[in-house]
Amino acid sequence: MALGQDRLDTLEIPDGTTAEEHDIVTDGDIVVGGQSTVEFGVRGRNVLAGERVTFGGDIEAEGDCRLDVWCDVAGNVLVGEDAYLGERVHIGGRLMVSGDLDIGDDVDIEEGFEANGWIVIRNPVPTLVFYFVVLSQLLHIGENESAEELANALSGESEDDPLVIPRGSTVSDDAWQASTPATVGDECRLHGNVRAETIDVGADNNIFGSLRARGDIEVGEGTRVHGDVTTRDGTVTIADGAEILGDVSCSDLELHDDADVEGTIRASGDMRLIRSKASREAE
C-alpha cells in the first residue's frame, strides 16, 4: 500500500456480499471509516472501525475486531481471535473474545464480557498505527510471508476483498449513502438505495433499491435493479442481460440491446445502443 493512500476513499462492496434482515455478511474483512453509521449488524473475517462509528446490531468477527474511541454497538460483539476496544466504547450486549482483549478507559459493556486470553486495560493505539507496528515487527523477525499477507489485506489485494465503508457514510435498510465513488462486486444481494459520487455495479447482483449518483453509473451483466437509475451529469451504461425495474435518467446513455428497462428513459445527451454479437450475426 503506497504511503498517503487513503484506503477509505471508496464505498467498496465485495463479491457475494448480502444484506440480510439484520446483518451485512461478507467473507472478507469489514473496514468502516470514522463517524459512520451502520444500522445493521455485521459478519466478516476481521472487523475494523474508526472513531465514533455506530452499529445497529451485533458484530461477529471470525478473526480480530478493533473498535476505536467512542464506537457504539447496539448488540453483542463475538470475536474469534483478539479484540481491541478504544476509550469510551459502548456495547449494548455481551462481549465474547476467544483470544486476547486490549481495552481502553471508560468502556461500557452492558451485559459483561468473557475473554479466553490475556486482558490488558489501557489505551489501545489507533487502528492503522497498530497494524503498521505489527507489520514492522513481522518483517523484523523474518516472518515475510505473514507480513505480505497483512500488507495485502491493507492494500485490498487479499484473496477476499474487504467491505469498505468510507468515513461519514450511512448504511441502513433504506440507503447505502457515501460522498465517495461506490463499487459493487458480483453476485451481491443488497437492500436499500445506493447514493454515491459514481456507482459501478458488477454482474449478477440483485439490488432492492435505486441507484443515484452525480457522475457515471455502470450496471453489469445480469444485474437486476428494483428501482430507478439516476445521474445528474454522468453517463449510464447498462450491460447485457441487466434489468432496470424503474426509470433511467441521465445525460448520456449506453444501452445493450439485450438489457431491459421497464420504466421511462430520459437522456438529455447522446443515446447509444450496443448491439450483441448474436444480433450482428443475424443480419
Side-chain angles (χ1 to χ4, degrees):
M1 181 174 64
L3 292 177
Q5 178 181 355
D6 187 354
R7 191 66 187 87
L8 299 175
D9 60 0
T10 303
L11 172 61
E12 298 182 13
I13 304 172
D15 296 350
T17 298
T18 61
E20 300 179 353
E21 185 177 359
H22 301 294
D23 299 305
I24 298 172
V25 181
T26 185
D27 291 333
D29 297 342
I30 298 173
V31 182
V32 185
Q35 302 184 32
S36 295
T37 299
V38 182
E39 295 185 7
F40 296 96
V42 297
R43 280 188 277 161
R45 184 170 54 198
N46 300 307
V47 178
L48 296 81
E51 77 283 359
R52 297 182 184 271
V53 173
T54 299
F55 294 92
D58 298 338
I59 293 177
E60 296 185 31
E62 294 180 9
D64 294 346
C65 176
R66 184 174 187 86
L67 306 177
D68 276 352
V69 296
W70 293 99
C71 284
D72 190 289
V73 183
N76 300 314
V77 178
L78 309 177
V79 184
E81 296 182 9
D82 300 334
Y84 310 85
L85 308 182
E87 290 184 350
R88 301 181 186 275
V89 166
H90 170 259
I91 297 174
R94 186 170 178 79
L95 171 66
M96 300 188 69
V97 183
S98 297
D100 299 336
L101 172 61
D102 195 336
I103 190 169
D105 295 335
D106 297 324
V107 171
D108 180 16
I109 305 171
E110 293 190 9
E111 298 184 12
F113 68 90
E114 177 181 330
N116 292 330
W118 293 96
I119 300 175
V120 179
I121 301 176
R122 58 191 173 94
N123 295 330
V125 297
T127 301
L128 290 180
V129 173
F130 168 80
Y131 277 95
F132 280 116
V133 169
V134 173
L135 180 62
S136 298
Q137 183 62 22
L138 288 172
L139 292 172
H140 179 70
I141 63 177
E143 293 287 344
N144 294 335
E145 184 175 344
S146 297
E148 184 177 358
E149 290 178 1
L150 178 59
N152 287 340
L154 288 170
S155 62
E157 296 174 1
S158 59
E159 182 177 351
D160 294 312
D161 289 334
L163 169 64
V164 178
I165 299 173
R167 182 180 182 87
S169 301
T170 300
V171 177
S172 68
D173 193 49
D174 178 64
W176 297 65
Q177 187 164 345
S179 58
T180 66
T183 63
V184 180
D186 301 334
E187 299 180 351
C188 297
R189 181 181 177 89
L190 306 179
H191 290 264
N193 306 307
V194 181
R195 304 284 185 261
E197 184 69 25
T198 61
I199 302 173
D200 185 352
V201 180
D204 300 319
N205 296 290
N206 215 345
I207 300 177
F208 294 89
S210 61
L211 307 179
R212 182 185 295 272
R214 294 182 180 179
D216 295 344
I217 299 176
E218 297 187 19
V219 180
E221 295 182 1
T223 286
R224 174 177 288 188
V225 179
H226 298 254
D228 299 335
V229 176
T230 305
T231 175
R232 181 183 301 175
D233 302 315
T235 297
V236 169
T237 303
I238 304 174
D240 182 16
E243 295 182 68
I244 310 299
L245 306 181
D247 299 337
V248 175
S249 300
C250 57
S251 176
D252 299 330
L253 175 67
E254 294 185 3
L255 177 65
H256 197 285
D257 63 357
D258 285 338
D260 185 17
V261 178
E262 289 198 357
T264 302
I265 297 176
R266 303 180 182 88
S268 59
D270 296 333
M271 295 182 62
R272 179 181 171 219
L273 183 65
I274 303 173
R275 306 186 65 188
S276 65
K277 181 178 180 181
S279 296
R280 295 194 301 269
E281 291 176 349
E283 292 184 346

